[in-house]
Amino acid sequence: MIPPADVDITENIQEILRQNQELTVAGQFAATVMHEINGPLEAVNNLNYLIQQEADDPSQVRLYSRMLEEQLFTLTKLSRQTLSFYRSSETRESIAIATLAEAALRVHEKKISAKRINLRKRFKAAVTAEVHAGEMLQVLSNLVANAIDALPEDGVLYIGVKSSGNEAHVIVADNGTGIPAPILPKIFDPFFTTKKEHGTGLGLAISKSIVEKYHGRIRSRTTTRPHRNGTVFRISFPLTAKVI
């Protein structure tokens, strides 16, 4: 039996470890936000430049303005969630998942074009869910960004939205090199990355956390076999799930 004094010491150590874990998680989410805003900020700068360059074309100005609004919306959501990510008090809204998927693709439109990626989409417009739009957009944007990074020029990127029963499903697939077996168990670990130059290893970790808030699941299948190589991520979550 552990003496009372030792019990107190053990409890104190456990409390210190718990507090340190909370601080670590808070730091991870703060770092995640800084990582995630880089893309939208770049898009805002580019869109602002295009608006100025094509100021004489009202239709183009309206198009770029709508796209700029989407990026500002994302930035606003991310900034509000920096340290209270898991305790967001914002009201959820019923939104078409296909709308969020299209927005995620627009975020990465330049990279898709630069690599001449063959984009394939299959959306069911009727699939809606009560979610925080900014959070789910963040998840989809992370998955699309990873797929683009894995793809060679003229590669194939597939994104699909469907429902079955009371669940929504989003599939993001690519025919890139695939994820090596030794790495696969680590891909959802915070700060694990194979992108030495520009990766932080937070994208999939934060995506998994968001999906699990909605009692959802995120799964992956991958192969590095020649001529069959590629990776598939599948997100499934209840259409009306309560947030944890």
Side-chain angles (χ1 to χ4, degrees):
M1 181 180 294
I2 301 176
D6 290 343
V7 171
D8 291 340
I9 292 172
T10 301
E11 290 177 350
N12 288 338
I13 291 173
Q14 290 175 341
E15 177 62 18
I16 290 169
L17 290 174
R18 184 190 65 78
Q19 292 176 0
N20 285 341
Q21 186 178 42
E22 288 182 355
L23 289 173
T24 299
V25 171
Q28 288 173 354
F29 279 97
T32 298
V33 172
M34 298 305 296
H35 168 67
E36 296 295 335
I37 66 174
N38 286 334
L41 277 178
E42 181 181 352
V44 166
N45 287 331
N46 292 336
L47 289 166
N48 182 55
Y49 172 80
L50 290 173
I51 288 172
Q52 294 180 42
Q53 292 298 305
E54 302 189 35
D56 295 331
D57 187 338
S59 62
Q60 284 297 104
V61 169
R62 285 194 294 270
L63 173 62
Y64 295 142
S65 294
R66 286 196 298 270
M67 294 173 69
L68 193 147
E69 268 187 13
E70 289 176 354
Q71 302 307 314
L72 291 176
F73 173 78
T74 301
L75 288 169
T76 300
K77 288 280 187 178
L78 290 172
S79 66
R80 289 176 180 173
Q81 296 169 352
T82 303
L83 293 177
S84 59
F85 199 86
Y86 278 113
R87 298 179 177 87
S88 177
S89 60
E90 296 176 80
T91 303
R92 291 178 295 157
E93 56 185 328
S94 182
I95 189 168
I97 303 302
T99 299
L100 297 176
E102 290 281 14
L105 290 172
R106 282 196 291 272
V107 168
H108 302 286
E109 192 172 22
K110 284 190 174 182
K111 288 184 178 180
I112 292 172
S113 178
K115 279 192 167 182
R116 301 190 301 275
I117 290 172
N118 180 8
L119 181 60
R120 299 178 183 176
K121 300 182 290 184
R122 188 173 183 180
F123 298 154
K124 287 192 175 181
V127 180
T128 62
E130 292 183 8
V131 296
H132 295 165
E135 290 180 349
M136 199 54 64
L137 177 57
Q138 188 177 357
V139 172
L140 299 182
S141 179
N142 282 334
L143 294 180
V144 170
N146 286 344
I148 292 171
D149 287 342
L151 283 170
E153 290 190 354
D154 300 310
V156 177
L157 169 61
Y158 171 85
I159 181 166
V161 176
K162 64 179 183 178
S163 64
S164 62
N166 293 321
E167 285 192 321
H169 306 280
V170 183
I171 299 95
V172 179
D174 66 75
N175 67 338
T177 55
I179 303 172
I183 292 175
L184 192 59
K186 305 176 183 178
I187 61 174
F188 292 108
D189 292 350
F191 301 110
F192 176 79
T193 181
T194 58
K195 306 173 188 177
K196 301 302 181 183
E197 295 83 8
H198 60 282
T200 64
L202 292 168
L204 285 177
I206 194 69
S207 296
K208 184 174 183 288
S209 296
I210 293 172
V211 172
E212 289 178 348
K213 283 177 62 177
Y214 294 95
H215 300 277
R217 310 178 302 283
I218 180 167
R219 294 164 289 178
S220 64
R221 289 189 293 110
T222 187
T223 178
T224 57
R225 293 174 61 184
H227 309 298
R228 300 185 65 180
N229 48 284
T231 301
V232 180
F233 279 93
R234 181 187 184 100
I235 303 168
S236 304
F237 54 93
L239 298 175
T240 56
K242 293 182 179 180
V243 177
I244 297 174

